Amino acid sequence: MRDFGEILRAVGDFGLFQKLLLLGLSFQSFILPLFFSSLLFIQSDPGRHCNTDWILRAGPNLTIDEQLNLTLPREKDGTFSRCRMFVPVDWDIDAVRQYGLNETTECQDGWVYDKTLYDATIVTDFDLVCDKSYLAEVTQTAFMAGVLAGSFIFGPAGESYGRRRTTQIPVVLMLVFSVIAASSPNLYVYMVSQSTVGAAMGGFRINAAVLATEWVGVTRRSFASCVLQMFAAVGQCAMAGLVYFIRDWRLAQYVMAGPQALIILYIWLIPESARWLLGQGRTQEVNKLILKVAAINKHTVPVNLLEGVTDKHKIQSGGIKSLFASPVLMKYLLVISCAWFSINLGYFCITLNVGKFGLDIFLVRFLFGVTEIPAHLLCIWFLEVLGRKISLISTILTGSIICLLTLALPRDSAVAITLLVTTGRFFFNWSASVCMVYVQELFPTSLRQTAVGLASVSFRIAGLMSPLLNLLAIYHWSIPTAVFSILSLVSGALAFLLPETRRIELPDSTDEAEGNR
């Protein structure tokens, strides 16, 4: 039986076929960050006051200033209360002016919001303010929980049902439930819809990366994975532009549905992974795919190549049990999971705090996306020059040290802090890109999707915990940064336990994977 790497080189390991496949998957990667927009651009504490239009029944000609003075209590600093109002009374306007109102209550008829920054957000539409302000973080956590569930469900499912199907289904789910989220009549429908979108995002991301990687030869393997992530970085820039020009979150959701519908038109054309089919013993389908790939890449299929493919192939069994049965592979999984967890805990803590750095939120969000692009480009080059191991260790340690430096700065140093956290996030993003390549190369084809899915669970748990870790800032502003930076330092040290996988063919069996030590 021929090695699949040899077969791939014969029909073209990075020809037109692979480029078209990568482009099709990359366009969806470009769209993925846009689904975060309603969660990131929320203005968690918008300017507001209680709706007190009740008094207009007694004095319909009141000016806004008169209405507020008569119906709202003031805080100690002299500003109107954002969460309290005077209890409505059935008096005429002269009595209200003469005697005034003293008894206060919570806002009874909603709020009137300042629309200087946004026309509408989930905070203003669902009134996530005052005693409900914590629900803004809860919605972010629910979304991250969905992404976590998607990694856990679609990862192992890709081992049983193939990479193709578990890449296509999430595309449909993202379109359907993003539209439902935009039409949500209340917070609960929104949270369920966004959680489903998150699950689909998690499923697509890991399956698309594995599908692309398994079709690309050893010399361009890191390129495929990093390009997918680079398109996601460009999508972050597009997200900042989208919300800058469309400041109504519901309208922005509908606009996103347009390109998502376009993806559905062609996603059914993507092929299955030939490596996976070969592992399942479906050699006839592999045979047809090889001929198709060779024709698209304009390569001539050697006479004896197809004979090698049609030889009896041992079906590779995989799954969680097989993974747990190998101490070596379990060590790899734990180390890479620890690295991915700490990296993304820092990444999302910084990302979700985008509005708290003291600079324009659109500018900071755009800078975050722009700085990720060179991170992925540099990743491609450094992975081939320095290898996976050194790249992972150096980027994790550098990112964590830079973030720790922010603790030495005064809190009012908005520009300096923004520059440091953006740089730290740059290295965290770089190291996450290395992890995505590394985790696919450490495990055999029969376990690859399961391993990527399980490792992604740690990635998603970090995203789930990041809003909660950020809440600890109420006790001291430095706690979130200190926690994720120290964890990153530890995981960087543990990465010394991993083997180097540069320029080594993807393993197709557990024995081959363990032999990479």
Side-chain angles (χ1 to χ4, degrees):
M1 175 66 201
R2 289 181 181 274
D3 177 78
F4 186 77
E6 182 183 351
I7 297 171
L8 200 56
R9 285 190 294 274
V11 299
D13 60 359
F14 197 69
L16 180 60
F17 168 81
Q18 284 86 356
K19 292 171 184 175
L20 289 174
L21 173 63
L22 189 56
L23 181 62
L25 297 174
S26 295
F27 188 48
Q28 178 65 81
S29 294
F30 169 79
I31 302 296
L32 290 183
L34 302 183
F35 293 108
F36 281 93
S37 60
S38 64
L39 294 165
L40 295 179
F41 296 90
I42 58 174
Q43 196 180 14
S44 57
D45 190 27
R48 64 188 180 278
H49 60 77
C50 296
N51 183 350
T52 58
D53 286 349
W54 64 267
I55 200 172
L56 296 180
R57 293 193 296 271
N61 296 321
L62 289 174
T63 65
I64 294 178
D65 288 340
E66 289 176 321
Q67 178 183 345
L68 298 182
N69 277 313
L70 292 173
T71 58
L72 296 177
R74 290 182 181 270
E75 303 290 351
K76 293 180 180 180
D77 61 1
T79 60
F80 289 114
S81 173
R82 292 183 169 196
C83 299
R84 307 287 295 181
M85 60 182 285
F86 289 124
V87 175
V89 295
D90 190 19
W91 300 351
D92 60 49
I93 194 63
D94 292 332
V96 173
R97 283 174 170 158
Q98 181 177 354
Y99 299 107
L101 303 176
N102 294 308
E103 186 179 355
T104 63
T105 183
E106 296 177 349
C107 297
Q108 297 183 354
D109 298 310
W111 285 261
V112 176
Y113 293 98
D114 176 17
K115 297 186 177 181
T116 303
L117 187 59
Y118 300 112
D119 293 332
T121 68
I122 61 169
V123 170
T124 60
D125 272 12
F126 301 131
D127 291 330
L128 308 184
V129 293
C130 300
D131 60 336
K132 293 183 179 179
S133 60
Y134 70 95
L135 289 175
E137 278 75 20
V138 171
T139 57
Q140 293 175 338
T141 302
F143 179 81
M144 293 300 181
V147 179
L148 169 64
S151 300
F152 192 76
I153 294 169
F154 287 102
E159 222 73 85
S160 301
Y161 302 104
R163 284 57 159 143
R164 181 174 182 260
R165 191 175 301 176
T166 49
T167 298
Q168 294 167 335
I169 292 174
V171 173
V172 177
L173 292 176
M174 280 186 276
L175 174 62
V176 173
F177 283 92
S178 64
V179 173
I180 293 176
S183 309
S184 301
N186 55 58
L187 179 64
Y188 305 105
V189 174
Y190 171 80
M191 289 176 64
V192 171
S193 301
Q194 280 294 92
S195 295
T196 306
V197 171
M201 287 178 60
F204 176 85
R205 187 174 185 272
I206 58 178
N207 283 285
V210 172
L211 179 59
T213 299
E214 291 185 343
W215 268 115
V216 176
V218 64
T219 58
R220 298 292 185 93
R221 197 163 58 217
S222 59
F223 180 83
S225 184
C226 291
V227 164
L228 287 174
Q229 296 179 80
M230 186 180 69
F231 269 80
V234 178
Q236 290 196 48
C237 299
M239 175 177 63
L242 174 70
V243 182
Y244 181 82
F245 289 106
I246 303 176
R247 305 204 180 190
D248 183 319
W249 74 274
R250 292 184 189 270
L251 180 57
Q253 290 276 123
Y254 288 127
V255 170
M256 285 188 289
Q260 188 65 28
L262 178 63
I263 295 171
I264 285 184
L265 296 178
Y266 71 76
I267 197 65
W268 312 107
L269 302 176
I270 66 170
E272 182 55 87
S273 166
R275 281 185 184 272
W276 179 80
L277 290 172
L278 208 54
Q280 300 297 306
R282 294 158 63 174
T283 54
Q284 289 187 347
E285 294 175 63
V286 176
N287 207 355
K288 293 178 182 179
L289 274 176
I290 289 173
L291 290 172
K292 184 182 294 185
V293 172
I296 295 174
N297 288 343
K298 297 182 179 180
H299 278 239
T300 302
V301 180
V303 176
N304 58 348
L305 182 68
L306 297 181
E307 295 176 0
V309 174
T310 54
D311 285 344
K312 186 176 179 181
H313 188 273
K314 180 182 178 182
I315 297 177
Q316 299 291 335
S317 61
I320 296 177
K321 289 184 179 180
S322 300
L323 184 59
F324 288 168
S326 171
V328 174
L329 297 185
M330 276 302 299
K331 179 184 73 173
Y332 296 166
L333 180 63
L334 291 174
V335 172
I336 204 73
S337 296
C338 181
W340 228 346
F341 173 83
S342 60
I343 290 165
N344 287 280
L345 186 66
Y347 179 92
F348 283 112
C349 278
I350 294 171
T351 298
L352 296 177
N353 264 337
V354 66
K356 301 178 183 179
F357 297 139
L359 294 180
D360 180 78
I361 187 173
F362 302 104
L363 175 61
V364 174
R365 185 73 255 172
F366 180 79
L367 288 175
F368 277 1
V370 167
T371 55
E372 286 192 13
I373 297 172
H376 297 304
L377 291 174
L378 287 172
C379 182
I380 297 171
W381 187 75
F382 273 86
L383 282 174
E384 298 306 322
V385 175
L386 299 179
R388 281 57 167 157
K389 187 173 180 177
I390 295 178
S391 295
L392 180 60
I393 294 169
S394 60
T395 51
I396 292 181
L397 296 181
T398 303
S400 56
I401 291 171
I402 289 174
C403 286
L404 284 173
L405 291 176
T406 63
L407 303 181
L409 297 174
R411 293 191 64 190
D412 58 355
S413 304
V415 175
I417 290 176
T418 300
L419 287 175
L420 281 177
V421 296
T422 301
T423 306
R425 187 177 177 277
F426 168 86
F427 281 100
F428 282 146
N429 191 69
W430 185 344
S431 54
S433 191
V434 176
C435 280
M436 178 57 83
V437 175
Y438 215 165
V439 70
Q440 296 178 72
E441 297 178 342
L442 288 170
F443 299 92
T445 301
S446 57
L447 294 172
R448 185 168 299 118
Q449 197 69 19
T450 299
V452 174
L454 291 177
S456 294
V457 167
S458 68
F459 175 106
R460 302 310 177 185
I461 289 175
L464 185 65
M465 292 180 61
S466 55
L468 305 178
L469 180 58
N470 280 339
L471 286 177
L472 296 181
I474 63 176
Y475 300 106
H476 196 279
W477 63 272
S478 65
I479 293 177
T481 302
V483 170
F484 69 69
S485 298
I486 292 172
L487 285 175
S488 298
L489 288 173
V490 173
S491 64
L494 289 175
F496 280 100
L497 299 174
L498 296 174
E500 180 55 67
T501 58
R502 179 182 57 165
R503 301 292 174 89
I504 298 175
E505 283 287 354
L506 288 176
D508 288 318
S509 66
T510 300
D511 291 339
E512 290 179 17
E514 291 179 339
N516 285 341
R517 287 178 292 175

